[in-house]
């Protein structure tokens, strides 16, 4: 299935397909005194921007028009453009120009171009009413869409649009003044004086910070801050033009919008219409050359401005200004924001995929794009698929084409056999073997599949997704075919997008790498090189950091250092750190003679997952060798200057330091805490469906068969079992969850509240108790079913024995289900990189599935515990499990014991004890309500 657009979609449908509920339409009624009927204007809000339609008689038309404007802004061509002939496109441009210079358009105070026109009417006499071609090219979506019909490469080249507008205007010589030497248009007859007089409003003078990128004679452009002083009543484009040394705005080119300042204003690059090179001397400065001349940079006298071109993904020649100023659809006031050096560098670095995904805006140096996508809730920031689309748009590529297929893989038995082989071979690089064995195909994708990415696809069926990146002219740029299978189609798509992004990311970061890798066609890569050559300047050998040099606060011996290099934190762990990155300033440089450090980036607390590649590798490698509470300081050589400047708080000062020094970066890191890889994550990788789901399914089946009416889930956690019981029909009337974790109970309450509100289940009451299951509460005495899934191993071993006694001697359920990990199965799980650790002297505890586990039992130990317990309390017990097979060594991954009270045994009387605190309850009669303390004393369960 290829994800390509349907031929018949309307603009609104296309917007819906792209943004779903994130697109919100608001219709505004417009009262026009001259019209008897009401008109409508539509405001369309999308995540990144909003547009406002023109006025229409029908609401639907205004919505379609807004959607069309949004599509044009996104660079997506509505299909009706495909049917437009060249002649029609030219006619449309002519018509549109006529409308732009009409009295009616002048009073359209929503179209940005209307504001330009009004501002230009306030200029001095010679230039009054002259609208720069660059403004028409930059701000009129209609003209742009028609120009795209004439020549699709206009998107890269605003000057082409300007030349087409000029040509079209020449056909309106009775109406518009076109001068061959001035790139601006003016209406021949003056506007009515009353209209012009009404415009003369006083506006405040504005001073804003922008960035000046000077094309120096040396290779690198010089980036400096510049202040744009737009005095009251002046046309802001004239101010920018003059700052670039030009006569006025008619000599300007305006780029597309790109990036955003910290307050969310979009930036544009402003530069001069370039002079043709001397061998093309027939063209004079400021005159627009014929369109075919514009394709080659060598035709211009001014050098190509790499930094400015990289920022806006359009070719810029000569000096340029980056500013966030202009008229928008929102208002007719001039909107503006400062583009500081720092925000410029942030935008500049953000053009690569690594820059878009961030833990926080403060983690420019520390954060990277992770290797794999697990679930939407685990992903921070823009989703990979959206990022890839965004990236393709920035790089002037076609929208990515995803192809989904379902494919069979080796059956589970084969996989288990392969595991045995690996186990027998006891090879050191067993993990790599796993990847090759289980890839299930001879896919050459593996050649760039990172070692750290090992996953064991035990899926028997699933979705595989390929993604192709094509140039606008449909030439193949990248064919990315990861072989992995995923449970859901969307996961396959997101992971394919992520692979493509990761590949582009490494490609841009290491342009010296051989692009001729198998599976990727490189025909278009040269073109990519050309477009992004500046990125090479951005990341000069940045990948080749030196091995971090350790510096410890305390004296360390070589032995200490060696010991510290042993990795103690396994992949999949969630690590919390406080870190700072600074540039070392040499004591010779400092006037005071003291050794100075310039702080570049810091975070008081940042959490990340080990082994997914989302962290700067050096920071991660040091952190995984540390213990909680420990502090480390190390140095790496400097990454690309742009990245340091993007992160720095004082860009000007840091830049001056960097130019004087060749100083390394110094990292200080404090390890605040570590949470082990969650069992859920490990289990989700190994078992499909995930082991936790299999446990819940097992319990639900047992509950259904039991015809029980009351149930307690001991150690209910976030309520995964309780949630399932709301979804399936059972004989249950009352269910209770008990846990000691307030956080988990709060999550359970939230889930129950929303699920019960949907009203589908037949239950009469649901209660959550805060309490320890080591204590007895008489309200739960003699209950039909008690479950205790993956809880006992979170207690000390003697407490697990105590729980066993308490539950069977005091709670006395008819049926008790206990599940706990099978320690023997860990040798299979520990083959995964999730547990991969070079530390051979790991403590016993880190050999468990979770750092919070106090013990894990073998099958024999579990059998012994359960059989003895059952015998002494007059219960029978049966053993079973989920994950793997009970008959094959090492048995089930999760072992289960089902205890049944023997039919002849009496339920003993117990004294009233109610240590548990009801923290949330729901009853069918009263509906969903918060717990009221006065009702708590009564027993909730009738036994
Ligand atoms: C791994 S979770 C299992 C949660 C749930 N049973 C499931 O299968 O998803 C273990 C839970 O046991 C709870 N727990 C540990 N000791 C407990 C105790 N003494 N009393 C009550 N709950 C306890 C923890 O708070 C945690 O929520
Ligand atoms: Mg556990």
């Amino acid at each position: 299935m290829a994800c390509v657009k349907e031929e018949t979609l309307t603009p609104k449908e296309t917007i819906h397909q792209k943004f779903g509920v994130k697109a919100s339409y608001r219709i505004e009624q417009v009262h026009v005194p001259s019209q008897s009927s009401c008109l409508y204007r539509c405001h369309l809000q999308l995540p990144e921007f909003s547009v406002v339609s023109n006025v229409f008689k029908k609401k639907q038309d205004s919505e379609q028009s807004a959607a069309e404007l949004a599509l044009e802004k996104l660079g997506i061509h509505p299909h009706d453009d495909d049917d437009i002939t060249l002649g029609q496109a030219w006619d449309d441009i002519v018509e549109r120009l006529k409308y732009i210079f009409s009295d009616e358009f002048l009073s359209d105070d929503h179209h940005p171009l209307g504001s330009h026109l009004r501002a230009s009417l306030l200029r001095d006499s010679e230039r009054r009413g002259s609208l720069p071609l660059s403004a028409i090219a930059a701000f009129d979506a209609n003209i742009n869409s028609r120009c795209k019909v004439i020549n699709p490469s206009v998107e890269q080249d605003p000057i082409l649009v300007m030349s087409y507008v000029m040509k079209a205007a020449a056909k309106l010589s009775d109406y518009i003044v076109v001068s061959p030497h001035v790139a601006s248009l003016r209406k021949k007859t003056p506007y009515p004086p009353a209209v012009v007089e009404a415009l003369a409003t006083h506006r405040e003078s504005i001073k804003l910070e922008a960035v000046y990128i000077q094309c120096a004679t040396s290779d690198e452009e010089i980036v400096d801050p510049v202040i744009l002083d737009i005095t009251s009543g002046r046309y802001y484009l004239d101010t920018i033009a003059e700052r670039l040394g030009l006569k006025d705005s008619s000599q300007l080119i305006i780029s597309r919008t790109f990036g955003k300042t910290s307050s969310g204003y979009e930036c544009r690059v402003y530069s001069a219409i370039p002079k043709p090179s001397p061998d093309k001397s027939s063209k004079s400065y400021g005159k627009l050359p014929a369109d075919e001349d514009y394709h080659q940079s060598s035709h211009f006298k001014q050098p190509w401005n790499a930094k400015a071109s990289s920022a806006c993904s359009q070719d810029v020649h000569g000096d340029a200004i980056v500013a966030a100023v202009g008229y928008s659809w929102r208002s007719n006031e001039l909107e503006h924001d400062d583009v500081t050096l720092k925000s410029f560098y942030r935008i500049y670095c953000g053009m690569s995929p690594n820059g878009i995904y961030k833990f926080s805006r403060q983690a420019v140096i520390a954060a990277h794009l992770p290797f794999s996508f697990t679930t939407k809730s685990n992903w921070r920031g823009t989703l990979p698929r959206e990022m890839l689309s965004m990236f393709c748009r920035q790089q002037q590529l076609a929208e990515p084409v995803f192809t989904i297929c379902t494919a069979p893989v080796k059956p589970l038995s084969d996989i288990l056999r392969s595991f045995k082989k690996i186990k027998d071979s006891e090879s050191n690089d067993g993990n790599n073997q796993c990847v090759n064995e289980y890839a299930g195909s001879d896919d050459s994708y593996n050649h760039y599949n990172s070692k750290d990415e090992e996953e064991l696809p035990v899926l028997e069926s699933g979705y595989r997704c390929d993604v192709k990146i094509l140039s606008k002219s449909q030439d193949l740029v990248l064919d990315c075919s990861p072989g992995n299978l995923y449970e859901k189609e969307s996961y396959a798509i997101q992971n394919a997008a992520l692979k493509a992004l990761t590949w582009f990311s490494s490609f841009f970061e290491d342009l010296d790498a051989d692009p001729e890798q198998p599976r990727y066609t490189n025909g278009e890569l040269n073109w990519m090189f050309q477009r992004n050559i500046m990125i090479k300047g951005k990341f000069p050998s940045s990948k080749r950091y030196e091995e971090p040099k350790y510096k410890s606060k305390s004296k360390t011996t070589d032995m200490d250092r060696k010991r510290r290099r042993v990795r103690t934190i396994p992949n999949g762990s969630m690590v919390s750190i406080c870190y700072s990155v600074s540039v070392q300033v040499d004591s010779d440089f400092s006037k005071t003679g003291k050794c100075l450090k310039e702080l570049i980036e810091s975070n008081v607390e940042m959490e990340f997952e080990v082994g997914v590649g989302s962290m700067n590798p050096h920071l991660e490698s040091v952190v995984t060798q540390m213990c909680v509470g420990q502090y480390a300081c190390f140095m790496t050589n400097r990454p690309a200057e742009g990245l340091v400047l993007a992160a720095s708080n004082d860009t000007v000062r840091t830049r001056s330091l960097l130019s004087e020094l060749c100083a390394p970066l110094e990292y200080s890191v404090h390890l605040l805490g570590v949470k082990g890889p969650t069992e859920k994550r490990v289990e989700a990788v190994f078992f499909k469906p995930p082991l936790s789901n299999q446990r819940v399914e097992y319990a639900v089946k047992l509950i259904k068969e039991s015809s029980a009416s009351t149930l307690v889930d001991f150690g209910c956690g976030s309520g995964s079992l309780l949630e399932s019981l709301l979804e399936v029909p059972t004989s249950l009337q009352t269910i209770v969850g008990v846990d000691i974790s307030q956080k988990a109970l709060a999550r359970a309450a939230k889930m129950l509240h929303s699920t019960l509100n949907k009203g589908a289940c037949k239950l009469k009451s649901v209660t959550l108790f805060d309490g320890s299951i080591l204590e007895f509460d008489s309200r739960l005495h003699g209950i039909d079913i008690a479950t205790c899934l993956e809880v006992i191993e979170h207690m000390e071993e003697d407490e697990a024995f105590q729980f066993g006694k308490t539950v069977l001697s005091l709670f006395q359920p008819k049926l008790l289900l206990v599940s706990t990990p099978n320690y023997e199965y860990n040798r299979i799980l520990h083959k995964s990189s999730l547990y991969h650790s070079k530390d051979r002297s790991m403590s016993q505890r880190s050999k468990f599935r979770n750092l919070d586990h106090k013990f894990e039992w073998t099958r024999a130990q579990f059998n012994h515990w359960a059989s003895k317990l059952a015998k002494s309390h007059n219960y029978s017990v049966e053993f079973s499990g989920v994950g793997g097979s009970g008959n094959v060594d090492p048995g089930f991954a999760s072992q289960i014991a089902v205890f049944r009270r023997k039919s002849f045994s009496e339920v003993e009387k117990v004294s009233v004890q109610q240590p548990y605190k009801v923290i949330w309850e729901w009853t069918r009669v009263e509906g969903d309500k918060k717990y009221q303390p006065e009702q708590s004393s009564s027993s909730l369960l009738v036994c």
Side-chain angles (χ1 to χ4, degrees):
M1 185 193 81
C3 298
V4 287
K5 255 196 290 170
E6 291 277 341
E7 288 296 314
T8 50
L9 294 186
T10 64
K12 211 179 153 190
E13 284 164 340
T14 312
I15 287 286
H16 180 74
Q17 204 183 47
K18 287 211 144 296
F19 296 96
V21 290
K22 286 191 210 151
S24 93
Y25 294 83
R26 182 171 62 80
I27 307 270
E28 178 198 354
Q29 272 196 6
V30 183
H31 296 280
V32 182
S34 58
Q35 304 250 346
S36 53
S37 61
C38 199
L39 298 175
Y40 300 97
R41 173 185 283 144
C42 175
H43 300 250
L44 169 56
Q45 179 70 52
L46 294 178
E48 292 282 312
F49 63 90
S50 63
V51 288
V52 185
S53 74
N54 280 332
V55 287
F56 290 87
K57 285 194 176 137
K58 286 187 188 163
K59 285 181 189 172
Q60 303 100 292
D61 290 346
S62 71
E63 284 181 339
Q64 289 295 357
S65 158
E68 199 173 336
L69 286 173
L71 288 176
E72 279 172 10
K73 218 167 167 190
L74 290 164
I76 300 165
H77 325 298
H79 286 281
D80 57 3
D81 279 4
D82 297 344
D83 305 329
I84 291 177
T85 61
L86 275 183
Q88 275 171 318
W90 280 111
D91 290 348
D92 286 353
I93 298 174
V94 171
E95 274 308 303
R96 181 72 185 166
L97 284 175
K98 222 172 161 181
Y99 173 63
I100 287 171
F101 288 96
S102 67
D103 296 356
E104 190 190 348
F105 186 76
L106 193 63
S107 52
D108 182 345
D109 57 4
H110 271 89
H111 198 297
L113 206 52
S115 304
H116 278 264
L117 204 54
R118 287 188 291 278
S120 83
L121 278 167
L122 299 174
R123 295 161 98 194
D124 56 36
S125 55
E126 191 199 331
R127 294 178 291 187
R128 181 169 300 148
S130 280
L131 198 55
L133 286 180
S134 57
I136 302 175
F139 302 107
D140 196 76
N142 276 307
I143 287 189
N144 268 281
S145 78
R146 296 308 182 253
C147 289
K148 270 176 221 159
V149 175
I150 299 167
N151 182 345
S153 28
V154 291
E155 272 185 89
Q156 274 119 278
D157 216 340
I159 212 160
L160 262 184
V161 182
M162 291 159 69
S163 69
Y164 293 157
V165 171
M166 191 82 142
K167 258 189 197 172
K171 296 184 184 169
L172 292 166
S173 52
D174 291 347
Y175 190 63
I176 296 175
V177 179
V178 186
S179 154
H181 300 288
V182 184
S184 64
L185 301 180
R186 182 164 55 82
K187 193 179 168 199
K188 211 161 196 175
T189 53
Y191 288 97
V195 176
V196 180
E197 274 159 31
L199 301 174
T201 51
H202 176 78
R203 291 201 172 119
E204 287 198 349
S205 298
I206 296 164
K207 269 193 183 159
L208 66 126
E209 202 173 314
V211 162
Y212 195 101
I213 309 175
Q214 191 192 342
C215 268
T217 38
S218 63
D219 280 357
E220 277 240 21
E221 297 84 17
I222 300 167
V223 184
D224 275 319
V226 65
I227 299 291
L228 296 177
D229 193 347
I230 304 164
T231 44
S232 166
R234 283 217 73 193
Y235 183 32
Y236 80 95
L237 287 182
D238 286 338
T239 308
I240 295 177
E242 282 163 23
R243 200 66 191 71
L244 282 165
L246 308 173
K247 190 168 152 262
D248 61 37
S249 53
S250 67
Q251 295 174 345
L252 273 185
I253 301 183
I254 308 173
S255 79
R256 65 155 70 87
T257 55
F258 62 89
K260 279 188 179 160
T261 65
S262 48
S263 331
Y265 285 88
E266 288 171 325
C267 305
R268 288 180 191 267
V269 171
Y270 300 84
S271 56
I273 299 173
K275 284 181 195 176
S277 59
D279 57 321
K280 296 265 163 189
S281 51
S282 58
K283 313 277 186 293
S284 58
Y285 178 56
K287 187 184 172 192
L288 296 172
D291 43 2
E292 66 274 12
D293 287 342
Y294 273 102
H295 284 284
Q296 286 169 32
S297 319
S298 58
H299 286 200
F300 299 115
K301 224 175 169 186
Q302 288 95 336
W304 187 59
N305 188 326
K307 279 205 170 82
S309 306
S310 166
C312 66
S313 306
Q314 283 175 335
D315 288 329
V316 178
H317 293 87
D319 292 357
I321 284 178
V322 179
V325 56
Y327 298 108
S328 77
W329 293 90
R330 287 181 288 267
S331 88
N332 52 13
E333 291 294 319
L334 193 62
E335 293 185 347
H336 59 93
D337 193 21
D338 289 338
V339 179
T340 60
L341 273 187
K342 181 181 172 122
S343 50
F344 169 74
Y345 279 110
R346 272 181 184 265
I347 293 164
Y348 178 61
C349 291
M351 300 305 276
S352 76
N354 267 354
I356 294 167
Y357 181 95
K358 288 282 167 277
F359 285 97
S360 78
R361 289 182 65 83
Q362 275 67 50
V364 174
I365 291 190
H368 278 254
L369 196 68
F371 292 140
S372 68
F373 175 91
T374 49
T375 60
K376 218 171 162 178
S377 54
N378 283 349
W379 188 263
R380 300 168 205 217
T382 316
L383 293 176
R385 185 185 179 164
E386 274 173 63
M387 280 167 63
L388 186 62
S389 290
M390 214 181 331
F391 173 78
C392 288
R393 265 175 245 144
Q394 283 169 349
Q395 299 299 329
Q396 304 302 305
L397 297 164
E399 281 289 307
V401 180
F402 293 93
T403 314
I404 286 280
C405 65
T406 46
V409 287
K410 287 183 180 182
L412 195 64
S413 52
D414 284 6
I415 288 161
L416 286 172
R417 225 172 292 130
S418 307
F419 263 128
K420 271 197 103 179
K421 261 192 265 162
I422 292 163
K423 194 189 76 185
D424 296 343
S425 73
E426 286 286 286
S427 151
N428 273 345
D429 54 5
N431 284 308
N432 291 341
Q433 287 184 23
C434 288
V435 172
N436 295 331
E437 284 243 16
Y438 303 130
S441 75
D442 58 353
D443 229 322
S444 51
Y445 158 73
N446 278 330
H447 80 91
Y448 89 96
N449 194 358
S450 158
K451 271 198 235 163
D452 291 336
E453 250 184 304
E454 298 142 17
E455 285 192 3
L456 302 172
V458 289
L459 280 182
E460 291 197 42
S461 65
Y463 295 94
R464 186 199 296 269
C465 180
D466 296 347
V467 57
K468 281 193 175 57
I469 308 293
L470 305 166
S471 70
K472 286 261 155 105
S473 50
Q474 297 297 297
D475 294 310
L476 189 65
V477 174
L478 176 72
D479 182 355
C480 181
S481 311
N484 304 34
L485 283 158
Y486 296 89
E487 206 184 335
K488 290 187 181 170
E489 189 177 305
S490 61
Y491 292 180
I493 293 175
Q494 295 295 359
N495 274 291
L498 186 55
K499 296 286 176 231
L501 279 169
T502 310
W503 189 82
F504 278 122
S505 177
S506 57
F507 173 71
F508 286 146
E509 285 191 25
D510 193 0
L511 290 183
D512 298 335
D514 179 12
E516 293 205 28
Q517 295 187 37
R519 198 78 189 183
Y520 304 111
T521 57
N522 74 336
E524 284 294 309
L525 287 182
N526 285 336
W527 172 81
M528 296 285 291
F529 263 109
Q530 290 245 311
R531 284 208 65 77
N532 294 287
I533 201 77
M534 60 293 258
I535 294 178
K536 188 167 183 166
K538 198 168 80 176
F539 295 108
S541 317
S542 61
K543 288 287 263 187
R544 286 177 215 101
Y545 284 59
E546 273 170 18
E547 175 71 358
K549 302 171 191 109
Y550 296 92
K551 227 178 85 182
S552 175
K553 283 276 168 192
S554 58
K555 258 190 155 186
T556 47
T557 62
D558 273 359
M559 270 305 287
D560 286 340
R561 214 167 286 144
K562 262 191 196 142
R563 205 175 303 136
R564 192 175 296 174
R565 282 174 190 233
V566 171
R567 208 179 151 175
T568 56
I569 302 175
N571 287 346
S573 307
M574 288 304 292
V575 165
S576 174
I577 57 167
C578 164
Y579 77 90
S580 66
V581 185
S582 37
V583 182
Q584 276 204 336
V585 180
D586 201 72
S587 53
D588 293 345
F589 181 82
S590 154
K591 303 267 182 306
T592 60
K594 266 195 203 159
C595 186
L596 294 177
K597 271 193 242 167
E598 187 71 20
L599 183 70
I600 304 294
E601 182 176 304
S602 65
N603 268 303
V604 279
E605 188 168 357
M606 188 168 90
E607 205 177 46
F608 70 95
E609 186 175 342
V610 174
V612 294
S614 58
M615 253 285 140
N616 173 322
H618 305 290
L619 202 46
E620 178 162 323
S621 105
V622 170
V623 165
T624 51
Q625 296 164 41
M626 292 168 67
C627 310
V628 174
Q630 203 174 10
Y631 167 89
C633 186
F634 66 94
M635 283 176 282
T636 65
N637 60 6
R638 218 164 67 199
E641 191 174 282
L643 210 58
V644 176
L645 295 174
S648 168
N649 286 323
D650 186 346
T651 324
V652 179
R653 185 174 148 70
T654 307
R655 198 176 55 173
S656 89
L657 290 176
L658 295 181
S659 65
E660 305 267 344
L661 303 165
C662 188
L665 283 192
E666 186 177 307
Y667 289 72
S668 294
V669 56
H670 185 182
L671 181 56
L672 303 173
V674 182
K675 284 186 244 157
T678 62
E679 280 165 282
K680 259 200 164 158
R681 176 162 149 64
V682 177
E683 293 176 356
V685 168
F686 275 85
F687 302 96
K688 310 285 172 193
L691 204 56
S692 52
N693 295 13
Q694 293 190 37
R695 275 191 297 266
V696 167
E697 273 166 33
Y698 186 99
V700 169
K701 189 166 171 274
L702 192 78
I703 293 160
K704 276 181 157 178
E705 288 163 1
S706 71
S707 59
S709 69
T710 54
L711 170 137
V712 57
D713 187 21
F714 287 126
C716 62
S718 312
S720 49
L721 174 63
L722 301 179
E723 183 177 17
S724 297
L725 294 174
L726 305 187
E727 286 160 3
V728 293
T730 64
S731 51
L732 290 173
Q733 301 203 340
T734 302
I735 61 172
V736 177
V738 186
D739 207 288
I740 38 164
S741 160
Q742 298 273 348
K743 260 192 189 168
L745 286 168
R747 279 197 296 269
K750 198 171 163 195
M751 173 280 298
L752 290 168
H753 176 87
S754 65
T755 316
L756 285 163
N757 269 353
K758 290 179 197 149
C761 84
K762 298 238 160 19
L763 289 168
K764 286 196 176 146
S765 85
V766 184
T767 308
L768 290 178
F769 282 123
D770 176 8
S772 169
I773 57 172
L774 296 173
E775 284 188 273
F776 171 62
D777 191 297
S778 53
R779 286 170 287 185
L780 301 173
H781 171 65
I783 204 156
D784 290 342
I785 286 199
T787 48
C788 185
L789 303 177
E790 306 294 288
V791 179
I792 57 169
E793 70 276 7
H794 291 265
M795 308 169 170
E796 294 301 337
E797 225 169 337
D798 56 336
E799 291 175 331
F801 279 95
Q802 187 194 329
F803 166 71
K805 270 190 205 150
T806 308
V807 72
L808 295 193
S809 65
L810 297 171
F811 288 105
Q812 300 174 43
K814 277 189 194 144
L815 199 143
L816 168 71
L817 184 156
V818 178
S819 88
T820 191
N822 167 13
Y823 179 71
E824 294 162 88
Y825 201 89
N826 291 2
R827 63 174 184 253
I828 292 183
L829 302 179
H830 284 162
K831 292 276 182 199
S832 158
S833 64
L834 285 169
Y835 285 103
H836 196 232
S837 169
K838 292 186 187 92
D839 185 1
R840 302 269 172 225
S841 60
M842 268 192 313
S843 69
Q844 181 68 16
R845 186 163 288 182
S846 58
K847 289 194 171 173
F848 297 150
R849 293 185 200 177
N850 185 318
L851 288 178
D852 191 48
H853 285 184
K854 308 295 187 304
F855 66 88
E856 279 174 11
W857 282 336
T858 60
R859 282 169 291 175
Q861 286 171 309
F862 184 56
N863 250 275
H864 178 73
W865 171 78
S867 306
K868 210 171 156 206
L869 191 65
K871 200 170 168 207
S872 50
H873 294 91
N874 224 353
Y875 275 75
S876 68
V877 62
E878 282 166 33
F879 295 96
S880 174
V882 289
S885 159
N887 304 322
V888 183
D889 229 20
F892 290 112
S894 251
Q895 40 190 347
I896 294 177
V898 179
F899 299 83
R900 284 172 212 270
R901 204 169 66 210
K902 292 195 175 157
S903 50
F904 51 83
S905 50
E906 286 277 304
V907 177
E908 289 165 26
K909 285 240 167 352
V910 286
S911 59
V912 173
Q913 299 171 42
Q914 300 184 345
Y916 295 176
K917 201 170 146 219
V918 180
I919 60 143
W920 185 89
E921 71 171 348
W922 176 91
T923 55
R924 174 151 296 282
V925 192
E926 295 170 70
D928 189 359
K929 65 172 172 60
K930 271 240 173 252
Y931 166 67
Q932 284 154 21
E934 60 273 20
Q935 294 169 358
S936 68
S937 54
S938 62
S939 175
L940 288 162
L941 307 172
V942 185
C943 305

